[in-house]
Amino acid sequence: MFRILFLMLLVLAALISAPYLAGNQGYVRIEAGSKIIEMSLVMLVVFFAVAMAVVYGIEWLITRFLRLSRGSYNWFANRKHKKAQQQTIEGMMRMSEGDYSKAEKLFSKNAKHADEPVLNLIKAAEAAQQKGDELGANKYLIEASKIAGDNSVIVELARTRILMQQGKLPAARTAVDSLLELAPKNAEVLRLAIQIYQQSKAYNALDNILEEIGQRSFLSAEEYQQLEQFVDDGLLDEKMNSEGQEGLLNWWENQPSRRRKSVYVRVGLIKRLIDVDDHESAQSLALETLKKYEDEQLDGLFAQLTRLQVPENAKLLKVLAKRAGKAAENYTDDYARALGYIYTREGLFDKAKTYFVQLLDHQECVDNDRIMALHVAEQTGDNELANRVREINLKQVNLENKEPTEQPLLLEQPKA
């Protein structure tokens, strides 16, 4: 607008000043080589105005053409973008229906025009993998990594998941190790690491990220406890199998306070020591655990105490007897069972009989308890106790073999 206004003002000034210059129009001589152009000052002004109008006209035409070209380009680009969006939505529907071949084509066809081309290529890779095309899946992942860059967490997550689906566990393990270096606090990376480390039984690697998993809080308290116990059991078995009993005990001495305070780990260690007949070390650890923890925390320990071989003068027996006298009513039978088994193994049947009678009176005898009680009764010559145990066993067998009462059959009356 300013240029046009300037041009109009210039022409207007020329027209106004022309009459005043009519008597003295001036003289302009332009000489270029052998050519000579002569005109009046008024004609020069008019020529200049016409030239400017031509120049501005050409500029307007060029600008208009460029705007038209850009508009056409934008129209085609928007059309492809809308089409890519429609194909992405349809691809998701096909994916959920299980039509992976069609979903792959829809995701990949206009992926570069989609809102998130990387996501489209990842979905295409997943669809290709679902239909068994590993080469196609890898091709899409390579294209996605070119767009997203080498350090894209989302692409590497997809690659790791696809490696898992392909059954390439060692490669998936390597990929998730790299992911943990790239994004150690990412919840999805940690979830995938849990799955891969559990399948590959990488207990030490899983132990190293337990603290980070706990801080992220994407697992419930129960799930996190199960994961901790999985790691603890795996480390105990791994150390026992690779270094034996001495290696296991040395490993235990170097564990952090979290693990040394865990009753679950202590019970697991006692169980494995009993399995290799190291009753002395198991007894020492059991005594230490009894002194440090309350009855409600020792449920797992009582089952292992029934497997221990303990001398009659051992301190553990004195502590058990003392704790049994002070225990709440719902825990007295646990102590009685442990003492009864220990005394039976040591051949102290008279002492053991007292505790098995207590279990029978409280109706807390399970199958193994009744077997041990019958053995104690026979060893002590207590026929009354032996008959009582046999009677309970017979009732239990009858109860287990008793068939449910049959319902009387309703006979239909014959139709006329």
Side-chain angles (χ1 to χ4, degrees), residues 229 232-233 236-237 248 251-252 259-275 281-283 285-290 293-308:
Q229 292 177 355
D232 293 335
D233 287 333
L236 287 167
D237 289 334
L248 182 62
W251 170 86
W252 170 250
R259 186 162 281 131
R260 290 185 62 84
K261 291 178 180 179
S262 171
V263 176
Y264 182 85
V265 182
R266 287 172 170 268
V267 171
L269 180 58
I270 291 170
K271 176 182 180 299
R272 286 160 179 81
L273 290 172
I274 295 174
D275 289 342
S281 299
Q283 174 191 333
L285 186 58
L287 178 61
E288 179 185 333
T289 306
L290 275 171
Y293 298 94
E294 300 300 325
D295 294 340
E296 58 269 15
Q297 299 173 281
L298 301 176
D299 287 342
L301 179 63
F302 289 120
Q304 301 307 317
L305 289 175
T306 60
R307 303 175 60 211
L308 266 177

Side-chain angles (χ1 to χ4, degrees), residues 60-73:
W60 180 83
L61 289 173
I62 293 173
T63 303
R64 187 70 178 173
F65 175 76
L66 292 177
R67 286 179 180 174
L68 180 63
S69 300
R70 185 165 59 250
S72 300
Y73 174 80

Side-chain angles (χ1 to χ4, degrees), residues 253-410:
E253 293 299 326
N254 297 320
Q255 289 309 294
S257 59
R258 184 220 41 108
R259 186 162 281 131
R260 290 185 62 84
K261 291 178 180 179
S262 171
V263 176
Y264 182 85
V265 182
R266 287 172 170 268
V267 171
L269 180 58
I270 291 170
K271 176 182 180 299
R272 286 160 179 81
L273 290 172
I274 295 174
D275 289 342
V276 295
D277 290 331
D278 186 1
H279 292 268
E280 183 177 354
S281 299
Q283 174 191 333
S284 175
L285 186 58
L287 178 61
E288 179 185 333
T289 306
L290 275 171
K291 290 179 177 180
K292 287 186 176 182
Y293 298 94
E294 300 300 325
D295 294 340
E296 58 269 15
Q297 299 173 281
L298 301 176
D299 287 342
L301 179 63
F302 289 120
Q304 301 307 317
L305 289 175
T306 60
R307 303 175 60 211
L308 266 177
Q309 295 178 10
V310 183
E312 182 181 1
N313 59 349
K315 189 175 181 180
L316 177 63
L317 285 175
K318 297 178 182 178
V319 173
L320 283 172
K322 184 177 179 180
R323 290 283 293 263
K326 296 181 179 180
E329 184 178 354
N330 53 326
Y331 290 105
T332 55
D333 293 328
D334 293 319
Y335 284 106
R337 181 177 289 106
L339 288 166
Y341 275 75
I342 291 174
Y343 281 131
T344 301
R345 285 198 172 87
E346 292 302 309
L348 304 172
F349 301 111
D350 289 326
K351 290 184 177 181
K353 185 173 73 169
T354 304
Y355 295 108
F356 284 112
V357 169
Q358 176 183 330
L359 291 174
L360 289 169
D361 291 341
H362 293 175
Q363 298 181 354
E364 290 291 333
C365 271
V366 296
D367 291 346
N368 289 337
D369 296 342
R370 292 195 297 271
I371 293 172
M372 292 293 279
L374 183 60
H375 175 65
V376 168
E378 291 173 348
Q379 293 297 321
T380 57
D382 191 337
N383 294 327
E384 181 181 352
L385 178 60
N387 291 332
R388 181 182 176 186
V389 174
R390 292 190 184 99
E391 184 179 349
I392 294 173
N393 285 338
L394 185 59
K395 288 180 179 179
Q396 186 66 27
V397 171
N398 290 336
L399 184 64
E400 292 175 356
N401 294 334
K402 187 177 180 181
E403 296 181 358
T405 305
E406 295 184 358
Q407 297 294 330
L409 297 177
L410 298 178

